[in-house]
Amino acid sequence: MENKLSFYNTLTRKVEQFIPNEDGRVSMYTCGPTVYHYAHIGNLRSYIVEDLLEKTLRYLGYHVKRVMNITDVGHLSSDADTGEDKMLKGAKREHKTVLEIAKFYTDAFFKDCQKLNIKKPDVVEPATNCISEFIHMIEVLIEKGYAYESGGNIYFDTAKLEEYYVFSSQSEKELLVGVRDDVEADENKKNKSDFVLWFTKSKFEDQELKWESPWGVGYPGWHIECSCISMKHLGESMDIHCGGVDNIFPHHTNEIAQSEAYIGHKWCNYWFHVNHLNDKSGKMSKSNGEFLTVSLLEAKGYDPRAYRLFCLQSHYRKPLEFSYEALDNIAAAYDKLIKKVGMLKNEGEICQSDFDSYKAKFEAALCDDLNSAMAITVLYDMLKDELSDCTKYALAKSFDEVLSLDLTTAYATREADNGVDEEFESYILTKIEERKAAKKEKDFAKADAIRNELLEKGILLEDTREGVKWRKA
RNA sequence: GGCGACUUAGCCAAGUGGUAAGGCGUGGGACUGCAACUCCCUGAUCGUCGGUUCAAAUCCGUCAGUCGCCUCCA
C-alpha cells in the first residue's frame, strides 16, 4: 500500500516517511504506566497522542498490532541500588500489598483512558507475567558477554557496545553521566552508564515480589521488561516504539542496548516521542504542584474529552502548557463543536466528491507529522462549508475515527442525560409550561420570575430555535 | 558545566522563502419581550538586534526570556 504518513523519528532526528517492515502491517509498542499511583493528565497526554498515531495508521488502512506493558515491578526511583521501588512505596502509602496496588491503579489507568477515548492496546502485559522471559534474555546477554555480575546484581556492560548514546548527538566524552548532584554512584558498576538487569542484593530488604533466578532470589531491573514484552508479542523487529520524551534517556537508550545486543541486529526503526505537558512552573509531576487527574477535572465540571481536544489542537512535539484559562477556552470550544455537529440532520444522500475531497485534506494534515491541529481546522472548515448536512455528518463521523471526540454522539448523549430525577424533571416541565403561558399573556415579569426561580434551583432555561431547553447551570 | 527545544494577536495555536489558518474570548450587528442559543462582522507583520535574498515569521548569526534532558518521571 501507499505509505503517505511522515513523522519525526528520534533515532534519525528527522521527519521521515514511515515505511513498515511488512507492507500494510504495523507493529507498535508503547511504554505503559508504572501503576503505583493515578496517572496525571500530563502522563495521559502521551497516551492520547499515541492513540492518535495508532488511529491515524488504522485510518490510512494499516493493520496495527499494538502492545503495551504495565510496570508492576522493578521501577526504582533511582537506577542505583539505593532507590526505593515505586510499587513498594505505593503499597506502603496505602497499606496494601504490591499486587493490590498494581491491580487498583491498572484499572484506574484504563478507566481514565476510556474517559479520554483512548483505545486499549491489542496486548497489555504486566511485567510480572514475564519473569521467565526476562531471565532468559539476561542469561543470553551474560553468555554473549554483554552482562556481568557484581555485588550480587547483574549489570549490562555498556562499554561492550560500539554506540550506546544512540539518541544523542553528544559524544560520550561530553556526556558526563551523573553530573547531577543528587545522583548517587553505584560502586558495583564497571561503567557509569551501566544499568541493572537483575537485582538480588537490595538495600531494602522488604521488597515484596521476588523470584528465583540463576543468580539468586531477586527481581528484574526496569528496562528489561520493555525489551522482552515487545519481543514476546511483536518478534525481533518492530516498526514503532513510543513514549514520552523523558524516556529517551535512559530507558529507551537502555532498551536498544540490551535488545540489539540480544538479537544481534537492528531492532526498531522508528522512535516516536511525545513532549511534556507543563504548567507555569515547568514539567508536570506527581510531586510538584497540583496533582491533576482526570477525576479532578471531572469534579471541577470539565468533560475529559475537552482535555483530549486540548491535546489534539497542539502539536505533539511541542511542550504544551496547562492552565485553567486554556482549559476553559477549549471546554467552550468543545461544547460549541459537539453542538454544531449534533444539530446536523443525518438525512439524504452523501455527496461523494465533497466527502472524498475533505477526507483527503484531513488525511493530508495527519500525514504531515501528525498535524492534528490542522486536522481540526479541516473539520471546522468542513462544517462551515456549503455541504449537505448528511455529508457533513458522514465526514464528522469519519474524522472521529481518529479524533475520538464523540463528535456525532456527544451532544445527544448530554441532552439525554440531564442528571436529575423524574420528580424534579416533571416539576421543571410544569414550570416551563407555566412560563410559556405567561409569555403568551405577555406577562414577562411572571415569565422571568419563573426562570429565576428555576435558576435558583440550578436549572438554566433557554429559548432556542428548537423550543425551550433546560440544563443544569 | 554539557546538550537540546521553544518564543506568532487577550488566551490556545497552525504556518519551514512569496506579503499571517483555525478555535476561545472581546467588541459591533441580526434574531429575541429580555437573556441565552444561533448566525454575520471584528484583531497581530510573527521575542531582540543584525545578515543572506528581488522577497523571511520562515534561512544564518546575536542577545534576551522560558522550558527540558544529562540514571525518578509520560
Side-chain angles (χ1 to χ4, degrees):
Chain A
M1 64 181 283
E2 195 189 350
N3 295 307
K4 292 185 282 190
L5 176 66
S6 292
F7 60 83
Y8 185 84
N9 185 357
T10 311
L11 205 53
T12 55
R13 287 181 280 280
K14 279 193 298 238
V15 174
E16 287 186 326
Q17 183 190 12
F18 171 67
I19 303 168
N21 287 315
E22 198 182 331
D23 190 37
R25 303 182 81 84
V26 181
S27 54
M28 187 173 166
Y29 184 84
T30 298
C31 286
T34 301
V35 284
Y36 68 108
H37 212 318
Y38 291 108
H40 60 65
I41 59 172
N43 300 129
L44 290 160
R45 180 189 184 192
S46 288
Y47 298 108
I48 288 171
V49 172
E50 289 158 9
D51 183 64
L52 172 77
L53 173 61
E54 177 185 349
K55 284 172 179 163
T56 298
L57 287 162
R58 291 184 194 274
Y59 196 70
L60 294 171
Y62 292 101
H63 178 275
V64 180
K65 182 174 182 185
R66 180 163 168 212
V67 177
M68 178 188 276
N69 69 301
I70 298 290
T71 300
D72 54 0
V73 70
H75 197 165
L76 308 190
S77 50
S78 153
D79 228 2
D81 195 21
T82 52
E84 197 172 3
D85 185 290
K86 291 191 167 204
M87 293 304 300
L88 193 60
K89 220 167 151 180
K92 276 185 183 167
R93 183 184 65 230
E94 298 179 25
H95 307 291
K96 291 180 183 163
T97 67
V98 165
L99 284 176
E100 283 167 347
I101 288 289
K103 172 150 193 351
F104 181 83
Y105 286 113
T106 301
D107 291 347
F109 174 73
F110 285 114
K111 271 182 207 156
D112 285 346
C113 285
Q114 202 174 18
K115 287 174 187 167
L116 292 165
N117 287 340
I118 297 170
K119 178 185 167 292
K120 196 169 184 175
D122 303 292
V123 178
V124 174
E125 182 93 87
T128 49
N129 267 9
C130 303
I131 301 298
S132 60
E133 281 97 337
F134 300 166
I135 290 172
H136 173 72
M137 182 178 272
I138 296 167
E139 282 180 316
V140 171
L141 288 173
I142 293 173
E143 205 175 294
K144 288 189 167 186
Y146 285 105
Y148 60 91
E149 184 170 351
S150 175
N153 297 331
I154 309 298
Y155 293 87
F156 188 90
D157 188 349
T158 54
K160 292 279 159 61
L161 300 171
E162 282 180 28
E163 192 189 11
Y164 170 62
Y165 295 102
V166 289
F167 290 117
S168 176
S169 55
Q170 300 176 65
S171 77
E172 304 216 2
K173 279 179 189 166
E174 282 171 339
L175 225 173
L176 290 171
V177 173
V179 74
R180 263 172 31 181
D181 296 340
D182 55 342
V183 173
E184 272 186 65
D186 180 347
E187 297 303 325
N188 293 325
K189 292 181 181 181
K190 285 188 194 169
N191 313 290
K192 278 185 170 177
S193 53
D194 291 353
F195 53 93
V196 179
L197 297 168
W198 188 269
F199 289 97
T200 65
K201 286 278 190 309
S202 171
K203 287 188 179 161
F204 40 99
E205 293 299 321
D206 51 351
Q207 176 75 9
E208 253 180 67
L209 298 176
K210 292 181 184 180
W211 294 265
E212 290 286 346
S213 84
W215 320 286
V217 174
Y219 57 97
W222 174 40
H223 312 293
I224 194 80
E225 64 175 280
C226 289
S227 294
C228 283
I229 292 173
S230 67
M231 283 184 209
K232 179 174 174 182
H233 298 286
L234 299 172
E236 293 192 351
S237 293
M238 73 164 133
D239 296 305
I240 309 174
H241 193 125
C242 320
V245 286
D246 52 291
N247 280 148
I248 294 172
F249 188 86
H251 186 51
H252 289 167
T253 303
N254 290 347
E255 276 187 53
I256 292 175
Q258 68 201 179
S259 297
E260 298 193 348
Y262 172 78
I263 56 182
H265 59 78
K266 180 82 175 273
W267 177 43
C268 176
N269 293 324
Y270 298 89
W271 289 79
F272 179 86
H273 291 108
V274 183
N275 214 314
H276 286 292
L277 180 74
N278 301 319
D279 58 25
K280 281 195 301 291
S281 59
K283 189 168 84 173
M284 191 168 283
S285 72
K286 292 187 174 81
S287 51
N288 183 20
E290 193 177 13
F291 186 11
L292 286 160
T293 59
V294 171
S295 321
L296 182 70
L297 292 188
E298 282 184 305
K300 293 194 179 206
Y302 294 101
D303 188 319
R305 294 169 295 191
Y307 175 66
R308 182 177 174 105
L309 180 59
F310 179 68
C311 292
L312 295 182
Q313 53 93 51
S314 122
H315 191 84
Y316 74 93
R317 281 198 285 128
K318 272 194 169 181
L320 180 59
E321 189 174 308
F322 175 85
S323 68
Y324 281 106
E325 189 188 358
L327 192 62
D328 287 338
N329 247 337
I330 206 71
Y334 180 68
D335 290 348
K336 284 181 124 173
L337 181 60
I338 57 168
K339 183 163 187 184
K340 201 170 282 184
V341 178
M343 300 299 269
L344 294 172
K345 304 254 184 305
N346 183 25
E347 295 162 357
E349 222 167 286
I350 294 167
C351 173
Q352 197 60 42
S353 67
D354 288 340
F355 184 92
D356 292 345
S357 137
Y358 270 103
K359 188 175 173 183
K361 284 183 197 166
F362 182 74
E363 280 186 4
L366 293 171
C367 286
D368 179 16
D369 196 20
L370 239 47
N371 193 336
S372 49
M374 187 53 81
I376 287 166
T377 296
V378 173
L379 171 66
Y380 276 108
D381 288 348
M382 180 277 283
L383 290 171
K384 220 189 290 184
D385 202 350
E386 305 277 326
L387 311 177
S388 68
D389 264 21
C390 68
T391 306
K392 289 183 180 179
Y393 182 92
L395 279 163
K397 195 167 181 179
S398 172
F399 293 177
D400 208 45
E401 289 172 30
V402 177
L403 301 177
S404 295
L405 295 166
D406 296 332
L407 291 172
T408 55
T409 57
Y411 185 65
T413 309
R414 270 193 193 174
E415 289 285 289
D417 178 25
N418 52 40
V420 302
D421 59 45
E422 272 182 48
E423 195 184 336
F424 190 42
E425 185 171 356
S426 74
Y427 166 79
I428 294 167
L429 294 176
T430 311
K431 284 292 170 188
I432 288 174
E433 284 308 312
E434 273 180 39
R435 176 165 170 272
K436 206 189 258 178
K439 277 175 73 176
K440 208 170 181 180
E441 302 291 318
K442 303 269 183 209
D443 187 352
F444 299 122
K446 188 179 177 191
D448 289 349
I450 292 169
R451 188 165 59 191
N452 286 334
E453 187 191 333
L454 284 171
L455 188 60
E456 274 170 29
K457 294 185 168 147
I459 299 300
L460 195 70
L461 287 192
E462 289 175 352
D463 299 319
T464 72
R465 275 148 219 272
E466 294 77 37
V468 183
K469 293 216 168 159
W470 63 273
R471 61 185 164 87
K472 283 193 164 180

